[in-house]
Amino acid sequence: MASDRDHAPDGNAPIRPYDKPAGGWDALKSSWDALRRQDAVLRGPGTLLRTNQPTGFDCPGCAWPDRNPHSTFEFCENGVKAVANEATSKRVDRDFFAAHPVTWLAQQTDEYLEAQGRLTEPMAYDADSDRYVPIGWDEAFAKVAAALQALSSPDEAIFYTSGRTSNEAAFLYQLFVRAYGTNNLPDCSNMCHEPSGVAMTEQIGSGKGSVTLDDFEHAEAIFVFGQNPGTNHPRMLGELRRAAKRGCRIVVFNPLRERGLERFTDPQSPAEMLGGGSTAIATHYFQPRIGGDLAVVTGIAKVVAERGDDALDRAFIDAHTVGFDAFVAHLRATDWDAIERESGLSRAQIEQAAEVYIDSRATIACWGMGLTQHRRSVATIQALVALLLMRGNIGKPGAGPCPVRGHSNVQGDRTMGIYEKPSEAFLDALAAEFGFAPPRAHGFDTVDAIQAMHDGRGKLFFAMGGNFAAATPDAALTHAALRNCALTVQVSTKLNRSHVVHGRAALILPCLGRTEIDQQAGGLQAVTVEDSMSMVHLSSGMNAPASRALLSEPAIVARLGAATLPDCGIPWLELVEDYDRIRERIARVVPGFEDFNARVRAPGGFHLHHPCRERVFPTPEGRTRFFVHAVIDGTSATPSASKPLLRLMTVRSHDQYNTTVYSANDRYRGVHGLRRVCFISRADLDAQGFADGEHVDLVSVWDDGERVAHDFRLVEYDIPAGCLASYFPETNALVPLAHHADRARTPASKSIPVYLRRSTTAPIPAASA
Ligand SMILES: Nc1nc2c(c(=O)[nH]1)N[C@H]1C(S)=C(S)[C@@H](COP(=O)(O)OP(=O)(O)OC[C@H]3O[C@@H](n4cnc5c(=O)[nH]c(N)nc54)[C@H](O)[C@@H]3O)O[C@H]1N2
Ligand SMILES: Nc1nc2c(c(=O)[nH]1)N[C@H]1C(S)=C(S)[C@@H](COP(=O)(O)OP(=O)(O)OC[C@H]3O[C@@H](n4cnc5c(=O)[nH]c(N)nc54)[C@H](O)[C@@H]3O)O[C@H]1N2
Ligand SMILES: [Mo]
């Protein structure tokens, strides 16, 4: 029952296995296509050459750090796509909105909305005409201020942040939100690396990774769990390639064989490009079951423990840890049957990985969403960090935990106080600097915020960037929640789902992008960001703004502050005239930012002190901790169902940035012109009585009933039995709001219990991209 959309736009079959290395000429071609597609108005190649340069802008793509000091352009295909998309020549102006009712826009695909181009002026929803109509900035701020003042409690307002927001905007934003009176500051981190923060803060006293790029040059082994850097952090492949070339062993755990982790042709290397060569990345590649990592890591730890003092770093364990004996007893008591069954790997495979680990004198463990988006994510990360602690792999060159962050400034936003559970010390510093009493009660995270809007406790939703309506779980419930609000406000660069799934009143406030020139009363401004390895550096745009009516994010917050809280004593408009003034305040409030303005102007910026690098562990005991987490979960989170359930992970394709879909291709996985695909093993096809190419509905099963995502083409794939993979956000309808990581509450979008049934609905139209 193949349909039209089963043929790629070029007429070729939609599924064509990709047998080349990642990177190479295809990466260059794909970047070129992205630039052409957007008709990108870049100031020549200069814009790209100044990405991630000491005097340019920070790439809005991912949070992977820059080589510093560096003088040459570091090419990244997906970085080019991110820059090109921001620099598009297409515009969504008042004529566009006049021509299209919002109900009609809401029926269009996410690709369509994104492809219309950059937003140009503030717009307000007009219910009578069902259209967005122009509104002046002053009037827009007055409207938000009035709505905020009309709430019966500040806790009825919710202020979301996505991770592209600069340090300066984020600091001012959280200041405004707290001066207004709430800690309701959910962010994209709640859906992303929250479990890493929760796990590590408890275990080592810091929620951030401790390694730097230099450590990648000294590691003897790098373990990569649940991450697809070839797509999501392409510059990381450069580090892995260098490491592989000097003989570092790279051990990968991923249910899928991701091409970028297997073989890479570095577009930066003329020899490889011209000679047709490539570098093997993984020395060992294991394909565990989805959610099998806790068992994998426990198995490796068991081998290390059994080896005793030959494998353990006794001096480190004695000096810097607590709980070791109980941990070893737990490892002894865990039997191999359980480890093999839960992990999906054989004992021999796990022993092989353990040998590499024991042989290495310095090991880095990297991880991404494959570890964080499960119910037992915190347990899994604590088990992985425990494995590092056993051999003292923290606070020495070439070793340590490396959670690889997503959005380019998601780590910095947290540092600046975008957090629904701020520490007392942070609030005290804020109070002392600005002379007001910040609220102390913790606020809503993302899951709470959706629930609160749904049941009427949340009435006003304000988003600093992102695409809340499409990025969050349980799409139907989330959409109802947003529609239930009195007012929704989106600060955005591009049209997206969150503008067309809106409250009774709605505003779109368009802002400058990272690549654009930011001119304030005090002259040209630069902002700062913090990467995944705690380097803080400047970013200054160089493209002309997409429209003259755009405001910068800091200016939007300042003007909102002035409109809402004119008498609070915070000089909103003065602060934003010159971002140095915001940074002076940050320097006095946020530890580690002393002398911020001077230090950030050094080429490449500065590294935020990470105590664990010196083996100082700011936990209550001053030591790291071994936690015991059973491999078999006593409290099963999978509801009983009449049908056998498979486990679905929702991942990114190569041509998307979170909810932004650049094209319907996923080159390295061999998919062309299709997004509604579901990767499935031969064994499961046979067991379920389906054929490759057939179309199915994905049905997720939960205590409160079933959720359906319609019409996915089954693609036979090298994936363990019992496991499925599809793309997000098409599958977000399937993730129940209540299915999230224990304690960290990150939606468990990598382990959704589903069954398949033959498609019953009409085919979903092909993406318009
Ligand atoms: N081009 C591009 N860059 C991006 C993004 C983007 O969308 N596009 N998004 C940014 C953001 S916000 C983030 S958070 C990062 C995300 O970067 P990643 O963490 O790489 O994100 P995913 O695509 O979700 O890929 C998860 C990987 O984990 C594997 N996996 C899934 N479940 C499991 C499991 O149970 N165990 C193991 N071992 N592996 C598993 C999947 O097969 C996949 O390879 O990338 C950032 N960079
Ligand atoms: N099922 C499933 N769901 C997931 C995930 C998954 O793996 N599976 N991953 C989760 C993860 S890791 C994350 S981080 C979230 C992402 O959630 P979000 O961060 O909320 O989503 P994005 O798609 O990154 O947001 C894109 C929008 O940001 C706006 N934008 C872009 N640049 C700027 C800017 O400079 N300023 C402003 N103000 N706006 C800008 C544009 O309007 C664009 O449409 O999604 C989560 N959702
Ligand atoms: Mo993320």
Side-chain angles (χ1 to χ4, degrees), residues 718-743:
D718 181 1
I719 183 172
C723 301
L724 304 172
S726 285
Y727 304 129
F728 100 96
E730 287 83 347
T731 42
N732 285 30
L734 298 171
V735 190
L737 191 62
H739 184 32
H740 51 64
D742 294 338
R743 298 198 289 143

Side-chain angles (χ1 to χ4, degrees), residues 228 232 254 258 291 293 369 374 649 652 656 658 750:
N228 180 21
N232 298 315
N254 197 308
E258 303 287 24
D293 305 272
M369 297 300 99
H374 295 284
M649 56 178 174
R652 291 151 173 81
Q656 79 180 80
N658 296 339
K750 295 283 192 279

Side-chain angles (χ1 to χ4, degrees), residues 161-167 169-170 409 413 464-465 514 528-529 553:
T161 314
S162 171
R164 239 180 229 190
T165 295
S166 65
N167 288 335
N409 197 39
D413 289 346
M464 182 55 74
R514 177 89 57 83
T528 63
V529 293
E553 290 183 352

